[in-house]
Amino acid sequence: MNYPPGYRRAVPGTQPEYLHPTYVSSRKRAPAQPLIYLPHTLSEITGPVFAPETGNVKACDLTRQHSGEPLGERIIVSGRVLDEDGKPVRKTLVEVWQANAAGRYRHKVDQHQAPLDPNFSGHGYAMTDGEGHYRFITVRPGEYPWGNHHNAWRPAHVHFSLFGPAFATRLVTQMYFPGDPLLPFDPIYNCTADESARQRLISAFDWESTIPGHALGYKFDIILNGRDATPMEK
Amino acid sequence: MTLRATTSQTVGPFFGIGLERLNCAELAGPGVAGERVTIEGRVLDADGVGVPDAVIELWQANSHGKYAHPEDPQDKPVDAGFQGYGRIPTDEDGKFRFTTIKPGAVPGPDGKLQAPHIAVSVFMRGLLRRLVTRIYFPDEPGNAEDFALGLVEPGRRGTLVARLAPGLDGVLKWDVIMQGPGETVFFDC
């Protein structure tokens, strides 16, 4: 029996190392031993499949999850999920979460002195369509201070979580905004050695998805590991 | 190759708001075939302190050794109602606990069967990129021949095998030790 091929590994430098000392929390949580290379088996080329939910518009419109409108600047965040060969990743789940416009998460651990917004929960999800497109309506998240070092501030960002077609393609990342002056100082953004890999985490302002008189558009394409060309050994 | 995979970033401390909708600590409903197992443990940092802001995800075959996925080519029965997916955040002490069915054996790259195992993804604040590990089962004869366990030096293999703990009434114990003595084996996946 021939099994389908595995997935490609990261190009060196394009993914963060586990230990990034300027990100203080990594110091006691990064493994000290080297990772052991695991050839992909049926366990890694399969992965959880989630049934598309239909009709739940509010899941991808974070501005319509409550009775009133959230505070802040409405934005559209959209893009495509593709593999490294540029093929769309269809019907895959995209989960997002973020701070509100004041830079506060609706989470019990977040005690930042900024107001919660009763009309904004800050999370949603969507399934990509047949061409890999996803689209969220939300508000631009605020920057916020954190305890990593003196005067540390996170740049504005939206968290993304994707499964893709297999266990091997699981990805959690963060999307940033163009021109954010905090980016050069953020140890999380700067944890990846390859500069162009970092820059691909920054969304692009996008006229095409902007809704006149209503919301600015930002485009963020997400690339998941591509497939190996050769079939796995039997 | 025309594109490069997007860079990973940490889940941060507030992932709960975005991920809790798909939390799942009971992987197998009442009608699902197989031997019930409960596994509990803690995620511990380099100081042995529980990590309160971690989440583990699980992926496993059903009791026949069949994955609920279109690319599993094996002629084995699928269990309606068993997806094989779990997601469990740690509590304030770094503890997690889940119940599932023991997976059947699935094929390995050498044509031999792999020993029953659960594939695990680990995420937490402070972790910039997912870590991948596996849970194997105690007293499983296939463990000695398992190709993935065979990639690991013998002294560290035990970190991948859940153990029967006294006083736990059959519950299996399996910890995730991020760094230091007894550090869990993590795979480049």
Side-chain angles (χ1 to χ4, degrees):
Chain A
M1 192 184 291
N2 271 321
Y3 292 105
Y7 285 83
R8 292 187 203 126
R9 312 292 167 133
V11 174
T14 64
Q15 294 289 339
E17 299 296 327
Y18 289 93
L19 178 61
H20 186 65
T22 58
Y23 177 30
V24 174
S25 306
S26 76
R27 295 178 192 169
K28 289 182 175 176
R29 296 182 172 188
Q33 300 284 335
L35 271 51
I36 294 173
Y37 184 90
L38 181 70
H40 290 164
T41 73
L42 202 53
S43 304
E44 289 76 34
I45 64 166
T46 57
V49 178
F50 298 95
E53 289 179 48
T54 51
N56 192 353
V57 177
K58 289 181 178 177
C60 60
D61 186 347
L62 283 68
T63 67
R64 287 175 55 196
Q65 295 173 346
H66 297 275
S67 57
E69 293 247 0
L71 294 169
E73 181 194 351
R74 247 186 328 270
I75 59 170
I76 312 289
V77 175
S78 65
R80 294 178 80 193
V81 183
L82 304 167
D83 71 13
E84 289 174 305
D85 295 311
K87 287 190 220 136
V89 181
R90 303 183 172 93
K91 304 294 175 195
T92 200
L93 179 65
V94 182
E95 300 170 291
V96 296
W97 68 99
Q98 65 168 83
N100 68 23
R104 176 96 184 259
Y105 287 86
R106 183 174 288 281
H107 188 289
K108 62 181 188 302
V109 170
D110 188 357
Q111 296 300 317
H112 172 40
Q113 289 296 303
L116 286 169
D117 183 342
N119 290 314
F120 191 68
S121 296
H123 54 85
Y125 60 94
M127 283 280 178
T128 58
D129 69 10
E131 279 83 49
H133 292 283
Y134 72 88
R135 180 173 180 269
F136 291 99
I137 305 175
T138 184
V139 298
R140 186 177 170 114
E143 301 85 352
Y144 57 87
W146 61 309
N148 189 71
H149 56 272
H150 175 66
N151 207 10
W153 292 77
R154 288 302 327 277
H157 61 277
V158 178
H159 295 265
F160 275 73
S161 162
L162 295 96
F163 286 87
F167 182 80
T169 58
R170 184 84 175 89
L171 174 72
V172 172
T173 190
Q174 301 180 26
M175 181 202 96
Y176 299 93
F177 290 86
D180 193 321
L182 294 170
L183 283 169
F185 308 101
D186 182 50
I188 295 178
Y189 170 73
N190 287 292
C191 68
T192 303
D194 186 291
E195 188 187 353
S196 54
R198 291 198 297 274
Q199 288 177 351
R200 287 192 293 272
L201 295 178
I202 303 173
S203 56
F205 167 65
D206 182 39
W207 280 118
E208 206 173 316
S209 57
T210 292
I211 302 174
H214 188 73
L216 291 178
Y218 289 88
K219 195 163 178 236
F220 182 55
D221 289 342
I222 300 159
I223 314 301
L224 302 179
N225 294 340
R227 213 75 199 248
D228 274 331
T230 51
M232 287 163 58
E233 293 172 64
K234 283 182 202 175
Chain B
M1 180 163 26
T2 54
L3 301 167
R4 295 262 192 265
T6 301
T7 294
S8 172
Q9 298 269 271
T10 181
V11 289
F14 308 127
F15 58 80
I17 64 169
L19 300 182
E20 71 185 351
R21 186 182 70 94
L22 291 181
N23 283 356
C24 174
E26 303 283 337
L27 279 71
V32 174
E35 176 194 341
R36 255 58 188 175
V37 289
T38 298
I39 300 179
E40 66 171 41
R42 294 177 76 199
V43 179
L44 300 165
D45 72 9
D47 296 331
V49 175
V51 175
D53 41 17
V55 55
I56 64 168
E57 287 181 357
L58 312 171
W59 173 238
Q60 66 164 88
N62 69 17
S63 60
H64 310 287
K66 171 84 174 172
Y67 284 106
H69 187 276
E71 290 199 34
D72 184 339
Q74 302 176 93
D75 184 20
K76 290 177 175 176
V78 176
D79 272 316
F82 185 71
Q83 189 188 5
Y85 159 82
R87 174 186 280 171
I88 307 105
T90 55
D91 71 10
E92 56 272 20
D93 297 317
K95 286 187 195 145
F96 60 86
R97 181 184 171 103
F98 63 92
T99 300
T100 185
I101 50 101
K102 185 177 171 181
V106 301
D110 49 10
K112 286 192 279 193
L113 288 176
Q114 303 185 56
H117 64 272
I118 302 173
V120 183
S121 297
V122 181
F123 304 92
M124 68 189 72
R125 176 177 68 84
L127 197 61
L128 289 159
R129 189 178 175 192
R130 169 178 77 150
L131 281 168
V132 167
T133 184
R134 284 182 169 198
I135 304 172
Y136 286 83
F137 294 83
D139 302 324
E140 180 63 49
N143 287 352
E145 298 288 309
D146 182 78
F147 103 99
L149 286 173
L151 299 169
V152 179
E153 59 181 279
R156 299 189 69 208
R157 284 177 199 161
T159 69
L160 300 173
V161 185
R163 59 185 196 278
L164 267 169
L168 276 181
D169 198 24
V171 170
L172 296 178
K173 193 104 172 90
W174 181 76
D175 292 328
V176 181
I177 298 172
M178 300 308 298
Q179 192 190 103
E183 183 175 313
T184 297
V185 167
F186 298 107
F187 291 106
D188 172 357
C189 172

